[in-house]
Amino acid sequence: MNDKTWRAARLSRLGSSIFAEVAEWKREAVLAGTDVIDLSIGSPDLPPSESVRRALGEAAQRADAYGYPGSRGSAAFLEQAAEWLAFRFGIRIDPGDELVSLMGSQDGLGHLALALCDPGDIALVPDPGYPVYMAGLALAGVEPHPMPLRAENGFLPDLDAIPEAVWKRAKFMLLNFPSNPVSAVAGLEFFAKAVEAAKRHGVLIVHDLAYSELAFDGYRPPSILQVDGAKETAVEFHSLSKSFNMAGCRIGFLAGNRTAVAALRELKANIDYGVFLPVQEAAVTALKEDMAGAGVKAASVYERRRDVFLEALAAEGWRVKRPKATMFVWAPLPPMRWEQDIPWDSRRISREMLSRSGVAVVPGDAFGAEGEGYVRIALVEREERLLEAAGRIGRFIRGE
Ligand SMILES: *Cc1c(COP(=O)(O)O)cnc(C)c1O
């Protein structure tokens, strides 16, 4: 006999177990016959445009579409991505050396530390932050240094609070604006400051811009690559998942510093053989359509949902600031009117809200210790369902 197990210890360090817990609460609620309104997962509930679906279908019919596509990305896709970046942000990216296609940006976010770091290196990560950031570090044996995102700083990390010794050992810094889960935005002034500090310390900035097209009230999120000289020290992840409702039709890209792009491309060339060509064709159509001012207008749908939901929630006694972007509401805990003798932390609120009202949200601490005191609500249901959710949450807050 021996004590081998077919499960690496590393898996236990991959991420928060709270997501598994929330999934279990949902399962229990469904089994109990509850009509669950699931606002916990950030998966778009809308389809891509008809022409994107048609491009995918037509490409999939072609007999020559089934070879290995290659991990760099097709010339057509890379050139279109570079053109879109120029159109959208006014930045010049060389499709040959400064771009690589990804099976969704998550593919790149999960593998980047393996491509850039050695065990024992440090990476700076936002807390709270998107879970794959920590998972990627755990896979590569890289030590995370959390950067707290706090309301009093507008949810921007305090770059001056990072110790000099950490700057020295850090290989890269993850930023994500507009952010998941905190729904905060950052301007070019902050990006310029980050670029300057990163350059001084030889740190690569990795900016996750998954929500570039999901902003409201006319706001247009900038690219960090708009900062002069940013390419010397920064790369940026782009995703078609949220912008064009293509989450299941996996495609994204990394743009920017050519050394970092080449490292990720080299790693991926040993793991995968690129994105299915019809998916790249569909992405070309989505980007072209966007440049022509057509295609899905995902932002306006989420903007209306945000307004309808938060107004209804305020009427129930829970006032939350309207986010400028993303599909998430990052809500400080509601004013609970019952059983106040036991502290209502984010875990207890989320659990009780689901079992008593059937509305599923994610407790803030699932995204890092700094997330305590908040819950994340995803606006991924139709307006009628969101109104229904707000009403149920109101009754839950009042203990009815
Ligand atoms: C949804 C999301 C992504 C997108 O991941 P894909 O793999 O491109 O679908 C990336 N970053 C954040 C913060 C997200 O919320």
Side-chain angles (χ1 to χ4, degrees):
M1 295 306 282
N2 61 58
D3 55 3
K4 285 179 193 167
T5 61
W6 293 340
R7 186 177 187 284
R10 166 183 318 115
L11 292 182
S12 309
R13 296 193 294 270
L14 278 190
S16 157
S17 56
I18 302 180
F19 288 96
E21 236 177 278
V22 174
E24 183 53 31
W25 303 343
K26 272 192 284 192
R27 215 178 57 86
E28 282 169 16
V30 170
L31 282 178
T34 311
D35 164 34
V36 172
I37 304 181
D38 191 355
L39 309 181
S40 66
I41 307 282
S43 182
D45 58 313
L46 302 164
S49 78
E50 198 185 331
S51 34
V52 167
R53 284 178 280 150
R54 195 176 322 114
L56 179 66
E58 280 170 8
Q61 285 298 329
R62 285 206 323 256
D64 64 354
Y66 290 83
Y68 288 118
S71 45
R72 170 182 291 270
S74 72
F77 171 66
L78 296 174
E79 275 158 28
Q80 193 59 51
E83 272 180 42
W84 183 80
L85 289 169
F87 158 81
R88 173 64 177 82
F89 304 105
I91 54 181
R92 287 169 62 93
I93 293 292
D94 178 346
D97 287 328
E98 296 173 339
L99 268 182
V100 59
S101 69
L102 300 168
M103 297 169 167
S105 52
Q106 188 111 345
D107 164 20
L109 288 162
H111 286 129
L112 191 69
L114 279 175
L116 298 183
C117 301
D118 294 301
D121 284 345
I122 287 186
L124 295 148
V125 284
D127 175 7
Y130 189 50
V132 73
Y133 305 158
M134 289 295 272
L137 301 191
L139 286 177
V142 170
E143 188 185 318
H145 179 87
M147 300 184 290
L149 305 184
R150 297 192 175 129
E152 67 259 31
N153 296 329
F155 294 105
L156 298 176
D158 181 357
L159 301 175
D160 300 325
I162 299 165
E164 202 53 34
V166 171
W167 274 118
K168 281 212 177 90
R169 272 181 59 205
K171 270 274 174 76
F172 67 88
M173 167 189 285
L174 269 156
L175 295 175
N176 167 221
F177 295 103
S179 33
N180 177 8
V182 302
S183 292
V185 299
L188 280 175
E189 206 176 304
F190 171 78
F191 286 147
K193 193 174 170 209
V195 164
E196 194 271 321
K199 258 189 203 165
R200 232 175 329 120
H201 296 96
V203 168
L204 179 79
I205 297 186
V206 177
H207 185 224
D208 177 358
L209 190 45
Y211 293 95
S212 67
E213 307 314 299
L214 241 57
F216 316 133
D217 313 316
Y219 174 69
R220 301 279 276 163
S223 158
I224 198 167
L225 300 174
Q226 286 171 246
V227 174
D228 276 343
K231 264 198 281 189
E232 290 161 36
T233 202
V235 285
E236 193 164 72
F237 281 103
H238 289 262
S239 166
L240 283 83
S241 297
K242 315 292 163 48
S243 310
F244 307 111
N245 295 328
M246 291 172 69
C249 182
R250 315 278 308 126
I251 188 158
F253 53 92
L254 180 68
N257 182 272
R258 63 183 61 207
T259 309
V261 165
L264 183 60
R265 187 194 293 126
E266 189 178 334
L267 178 80
K268 279 173 53 66
N270 286 276
I271 298 176
D272 66 68
Y273 290 101
V275 178
F276 186 36
L277 279 168
V279 172
Q280 298 193 60
E281 295 280 309
V284 167
T285 301
L287 295 170
K288 270 196 178 138
E289 210 173 25
D290 187 51
M291 291 171 68
V296 296
K297 294 275 175 268
S300 59
V301 175
Y302 291 107
E303 182 175 326
R304 257 195 70 80
R305 287 179 181 177
R306 173 199 69 171
D307 292 344
V308 164
F309 179 67
L310 289 185
E311 196 179 312
L313 209 56
E316 301 291 343
W318 190 5
R319 302 190 159 277
V320 181
K321 243 180 97 182
R322 290 193 302 174
K324 281 207 179 79
T326 79
M327 60 213 290
F328 304 109
V329 173
W330 183 242
L333 299 184
M336 297 301 289
R337 309 264 172 79
W338 53 290
E339 271 197 27
Q340 286 157 333
D341 38 323
I342 318 168
W344 280 103
D345 60 12
S346 46
R347 192 89 62 105
R348 180 166 173 238
I349 291 232
S350 308
R351 155 125 233 190
E352 292 287 321
M353 192 188 293
L354 179 50
S355 73
R356 287 171 189 259
S357 72
V359 179
V361 301
V362 182
D365 63 330
F367 304 95
E370 291 287 335
E372 181 50 70
Y374 293 85
V375 294
R376 189 194 75 176
I377 307 173
L379 302 171
V380 290
E381 290 263 11
R382 289 173 291 113
E383 286 170 32
E384 309 87 84
R385 290 287 276 174
L386 290 173
L387 285 173
E388 163 75 19
R392 291 195 205 172
I393 291 171
R395 291 192 288 281
F396 165 71
I397 294 172
R398 294 188 294 273
E400 293 166 15

